[in-house]
Amino acid sequence: MLKILQIPVLTDNYIYLIHDLNSKQTAAIDPAVAEPVLNELEKQGWELSYVFNTHHHGDHVGGNLALKEKTGCKIVAAKSDQHRIPGVDITMQDGDSFQLGEHRITIIETAGHTTGHVVYHFPEDNLLFCGDTLFVMGCGRLFEGTAQQMWQSLQKLKHLPEQTKVYCAHEYSLNNGRFALTVEPDNQALQSRMAQIKQLREKNLATVPSTIAEELATNPFFREDSLSIQKNLNMAGKTAVEIFTALRKLKDNF
Ligand code: ZN
Ligand code: FE
């Protein structure tokens, strides 16, 4: 059994703590800051075994060294990014596996937001910790990679089982949904999801996690095949990568 805690930090980041009840191992995903993680560990009576980083940005690795110093945890990150992630102990490449107790985690490389971005997938538990690659109704900005790379990365996530829970690193849903409605205003699943998300945000509640199924139904970056999106972009007959590229550009300027 895994227990997952979501810690909101900074403006809109989420840090996740994953605790395996059997082995008592605990992992923190993308600790932007250390203090709230240490507080939560103490509150729960958990010891930190690992930090998993998805990419090198400060709002994902800022707490690495303090956590390592205070807890002795090991830091897991992409091999290709080990030179720019603080305190890395264990490096991973696409397809590598890792264990948290009896729970298997596989690493999927998802270049795009950064060139070395990776996500952590628990295939038997149907959990995905995807950092800044996939968001609720959105995807990460292209800071280092190309649109082609990001599209390819999103294809890998799009084909995970639909019940997979999607734990992204930011609460961007409201703004992402507003953009999604401009390119696919007649999508009813999107309309009702936005109504839900507005209610949650009015109460300052998290809209994360979502599921792959929800993203398939509402996330424009998973929906290049939507005739409505193609028509609204004046891109009927264009390739999925061309449509994705156009969507990403529009969102950059939204
Ligand atoms: Zn980032
Ligand atoms: Fe971020």
mmCIF file of all heavy atoms in Angstrom, residues 13 54-60 113-114 117 131-132 135 141 143 170 172, ligand 1:
data_model
loop_
_atom_site.group_PDB
_atom_site.id
_atom_site.type_symbol
_atom_site.label_atom_id
_atom_site.label_comp_id
_atom_site.label_asym_id
_atom_site.label_seq_id
_atom_site.Cartn_x
_atom_site.Cartn_y
_atom_site.Cartn_z
ATOM 1 N N ASN A 13 3.397 25.358 -6.910
ATOM 2 C CA ASN A 13 4.060 24.040 -7.032
ATOM 3 C C ASN A 13 3.434 23.002 -6.101
ATOM 4 O O ASN A 13 2.929 23.343 -5.041
ATOM 5 C CB ASN A 13 5.544 24.142 -6.652
ATOM 6 C CG ASN A 13 6.409 24.633 -7.785
ATOM 7 O OD1 ASN A 13 6.390 25.825 -8.096
ATOM 8 N ND2 ASN A 13 7.152 23.739 -8.409
ATOM 9 N N THR A 54 12.347 15.385 -11.411
ATOM 10 C CA THR A 54 11.948 15.247 -12.818
ATOM 11 C C THR A 54 12.838 16.076 -13.738
ATOM 12 O O THR A 54 13.062 15.695 -14.882
ATOM 13 C CB THR A 54 10.484 15.669 -13.049
ATOM 14 O OG1 THR A 54 10.336 17.064 -12.701
ATOM 15 C CG2 THR A 54 9.522 14.822 -12.235
ATOM 16 N N HIS A 55 13.316 17.232 -13.257
ATOM 17 C CA HIS A 55 14.194 18.068 -14.082
ATOM 18 C C HIS A 55 14.903 19.096 -13.214
ATOM 19 O O HIS A 55 14.651 19.186 -12.025
ATOM 20 C CB HIS A 55 13.447 18.707 -15.248
ATOM 21 C CG HIS A 55 12.391 19.698 -14.861
ATOM 22 N ND1 HIS A 55 11.264 19.360 -14.167
ATOM 23 C CD2 HIS A 55 12.303 21.040 -15.071
ATOM 24 C CE1 HIS A 55 10.510 20.432 -13.988
ATOM 25 N NE2 HIS A 55 11.118 21.475 -14.511
ATOM 26 N N HIS A 56 15.799 19.866 -13.826
ATOM 27 C CA HIS A 56 16.762 20.659 -13.059
ATOM 28 C C HIS A 56 16.256 22.015 -12.583
ATOM 29 O O HIS A 56 16.975 22.715 -11.860
ATOM 30 C CB HIS A 56 18.032 20.865 -13.904
ATOM 31 C CG HIS A 56 17.833 21.822 -15.048
ATOM 32 N ND1 HIS A 56 18.063 23.183 -14.917
ATOM 33 C CD2 HIS A 56 17.408 21.631 -16.310
ATOM 34 C CE1 HIS A 56 17.803 23.769 -16.082
ATOM 35 N NE2 HIS A 56 17.400 22.849 -16.940
ATOM 36 N N HIS A 57 15.065 22.431 -12.943
ATOM 37 C CA HIS A 57 14.612 23.775 -12.552
ATOM 38 C C HIS A 57 14.546 23.933 -11.023
ATOM 39 O O HIS A 57 14.214 23.002 -10.309
ATOM 40 C CB HIS A 57 13.244 24.084 -13.172
ATOM 41 C CG HIS A 57 13.328 24.378 -14.636
ATOM 42 N ND1 HIS A 57 12.261 24.248 -15.489
ATOM 43 C CD2 HIS A 57 14.368 24.801 -15.398
ATOM 44 C CE1 HIS A 57 12.634 24.579 -16.716
ATOM 45 N NE2 HIS A 57 13.912 24.915 -16.693
ATOM 46 N N GLY A 58 14.858 25.161 -10.595
ATOM 47 C CA GLY A 58 14.964 25.460 -9.163
ATOM 48 C C GLY A 58 13.708 25.127 -8.376
ATOM 49 O O GLY A 58 13.786 24.705 -7.211
ATOM 50 N N ASP A 59 12.545 25.293 -9.003
ATOM 51 C CA ASP A 59 11.294 25.009 -8.277
ATOM 52 C C ASP A 59 11.006 23.508 -8.211
ATOM 53 O O ASP A 59 9.913 23.092 -7.807
ATOM 54 C CB ASP A 59 10.111 25.778 -8.887
ATOM 55 C CG ASP A 59 9.824 25.391 -10.329
ATOM 56 O OD1 ASP A 59 10.786 25.147 -11.089
ATOM 57 O OD2 ASP A 59 8.631 25.328 -10.702
ATOM 58 N N HIS A 60 11.997 22.688 -8.587
ATOM 59 C CA HIS A 60 11.856 21.231 -8.479
ATOM 60 C C HIS A 60 13.005 20.588 -7.695
ATOM 61 O O HIS A 60 12.865 19.470 -7.216
ATOM 62 C CB HIS A 60 11.759 20.594 -9.879
ATOM 63 C CG HIS A 60 10.547 21.092 -10.631
ATOM 64 N ND1 HIS A 60 9.429 20.334 -10.800
ATOM 65 C CD2 HIS A 60 10.275 22.305 -11.179
ATOM 66 C CE1 HIS A 60 8.500 21.057 -11.448
ATOM 67 N NE2 HIS A 60 9.002 22.242 -11.691
ATOM 68 N N HIS A 113 10.182 20.214 -22.194
ATOM 69 C CA HIS A 113 10.262 21.332 -21.246
ATOM 70 C C HIS A 113 11.736 21.637 -20.970
ATOM 71 O O HIS A 113 12.179 22.776 -21.040
ATOM 72 C CB HIS A 113 9.519 20.939 -19.972
ATOM 73 C CG HIS A 113 9.547 21.959 -18.886
ATOM 74 N ND1 HIS A 113 8.884 23.153 -18.984
ATOM 75 C CD2 HIS A 113 10.155 21.966 -17.674
ATOM 76 C CE1 HIS A 113 9.091 23.857 -17.867
ATOM 77 N NE2 HIS A 113 9.861 23.157 -17.063
ATOM 78 N N THR A 114 12.496 20.568 -20.648
ATOM 79 C CA THR A 114 13.962 20.628 -20.642
ATOM 80 C C THR A 114 14.432 19.394 -21.423
ATOM 81 O O THR A 114 13.654 18.460 -21.620
ATOM 82 C CB THR A 114 14.546 20.545 -19.202
ATOM 83 O OG1 THR A 114 14.196 19.285 -18.630
ATOM 84 C CG2 THR A 114 14.026 21.677 -18.318
ATOM 85 N N HIS A 117 14.383 16.074 -19.068
ATOM 86 C CA HIS A 117 13.203 15.814 -18.228
ATOM 87 C C HIS A 117 12.850 14.319 -18.211
ATOM 88 O O HIS A 117 12.871 13.659 -19.244
ATOM 89 C CB HIS A 117 12.017 16.629 -18.750
ATOM 90 C CG HIS A 117 10.895 16.789 -17.752
ATOM 91 N ND1 HIS A 117 10.132 15.727 -17.323
ATOM 92 C CD2 HIS A 117 10.411 17.874 -17.108
ATOM 93 C CE1 HIS A 117 9.228 16.162 -16.451
ATOM 94 N NE2 HIS A 117 9.380 17.457 -16.302
ATOM 95 N N GLY A 131 6.027 15.880 -13.357
ATOM 96 C CA GLY A 131 6.761 17.139 -13.313
ATOM 97 C C GLY A 131 6.119 18.209 -14.162
ATOM 98 O O GLY A 131 4.929 18.504 -14.019
ATOM 99 N N ASP A 132 6.907 18.779 -15.079
ATOM 100 C CA ASP A 132 6.408 19.858 -15.947
ATOM 101 C C ASP A 132 6.256 19.380 -17.394
ATOM 102 O O ASP A 132 6.389 20.170 -18.329
ATOM 103 C CB ASP A 132 7.365 21.057 -15.915
ATOM 104 C CG ASP A 132 7.322 21.792 -14.584
ATOM 105 O OD1 ASP A 132 6.538 21.405 -13.696
ATOM 106 O OD2 ASP A 132 8.095 22.765 -14.426
ATOM 107 N N PHE A 135 0.427 18.672 -17.832
ATOM 108 C CA PHE A 135 -0.362 19.311 -16.778
ATOM 109 C C PHE A 135 -1.838 19.008 -16.996
ATOM 110 O O PHE A 135 -2.231 18.530 -18.066
ATOM 111 C CB PHE A 135 -0.181 20.837 -16.811
ATOM 112 C CG PHE A 135 1.198 21.300 -16.441
ATOM 113 C CD1 PHE A 135 1.940 22.094 -17.312
ATOM 114 C CD2 PHE A 135 1.770 20.956 -15.223
ATOM 115 C CE1 PHE A 135 3.210 22.531 -16.983
ATOM 116 C CE2 PHE A 135 3.044 21.386 -14.880
ATOM 117 C CZ PHE A 135 3.767 22.183 -15.763
ATOM 118 N N ARG A 141 6.019 24.352 -20.972
ATOM 119 C CA ARG A 141 6.606 25.219 -21.994
ATOM 120 C C ARG A 141 7.888 24.609 -22.539
ATOM 121 O O ARG A 141 8.566 23.866 -21.846
ATOM 122 C CB ARG A 141 6.987 26.567 -21.377
ATOM 123 C CG ARG A 141 5.905 27.576 -21.413
ATOM 124 C CD ARG A 141 6.319 28.835 -20.653
ATOM 125 N NE ARG A 141 5.130 29.589 -20.329
ATOM 126 C CZ ARG A 141 4.600 30.536 -21.126
ATOM 127 N NH1 ARG A 141 5.191 30.864 -22.256
ATOM 128 N NH2 ARG A 141 3.497 31.154 -20.780
ATOM 129 N N PHE A 143 11.266 25.116 -22.964
ATOM 130 C CA PHE A 143 12.428 25.936 -22.612
ATOM 131 C C PHE A 143 13.685 25.456 -23.333
ATOM 132 O O PHE A 143 14.537 26.242 -23.698
ATOM 133 C CB PHE A 143 12.667 25.915 -21.099
ATOM 134 C CG PHE A 143 11.715 26.781 -20.349
ATOM 135 C CD1 PHE A 143 10.825 26.237 -19.437
ATOM 136 C CD2 PHE A 143 11.681 28.157 -20.562
ATOM 137 C CE1 PHE A 143 9.937 27.035 -18.734
ATOM 138 C CE2 PHE A 143 10.796 28.973 -19.869
ATOM 139 C CZ PHE A 143 9.923 28.405 -18.959
ATOM 140 N N HIS A 170 2.490 21.397 -10.969
ATOM 141 C CA HIS A 170 1.950 22.754 -10.795
ATOM 142 C C HIS A 170 0.424 22.771 -10.832
ATOM 143 O O HIS A 170 -0.194 21.960 -11.531
ATOM 144 C CB HIS A 170 2.457 23.689 -11.906
ATOM 145 C CG HIS A 170 3.912 24.030 -11.806
ATOM 146 N ND1 HIS A 170 4.389 25.043 -11.015
ATOM 147 C CD2 HIS A 170 4.999 23.475 -12.395
ATOM 148 C CE1 HIS A 170 5.708 25.115 -11.125
ATOM 149 N NE2 HIS A 170 6.110 24.155 -11.962
ATOM 150 N N TYR A 172 -1.919 24.604 -12.493
ATOM 151 C CA TYR A 172 -2.112 25.519 -13.621
ATOM 152 C C TYR A 172 -3.474 25.310 -14.274
ATOM 153 O O TYR A 172 -3.754 25.859 -15.350
ATOM 154 C CB TYR A 172 -1.058 25.256 -14.704
ATOM 155 C CG TYR A 172 0.356 25.711 -14.404
ATOM 156 C CD1 TYR A 172 1.419 25.176 -15.133
ATOM 157 C CD2 TYR A 172 0.637 26.693 -13.457
ATOM 158 C CE1 TYR A 172 2.726 25.580 -14.908
ATOM 159 C CE2 TYR A 172 1.940 27.100 -13.228
ATOM 160 C CZ TYR A 172 2.981 26.546 -13.952
ATOM 161 O OH TYR A 172 4.273 26.950 -13.740
HETATM 162 ZN ZN ZN B 1 10.207 23.414 -14.909
#
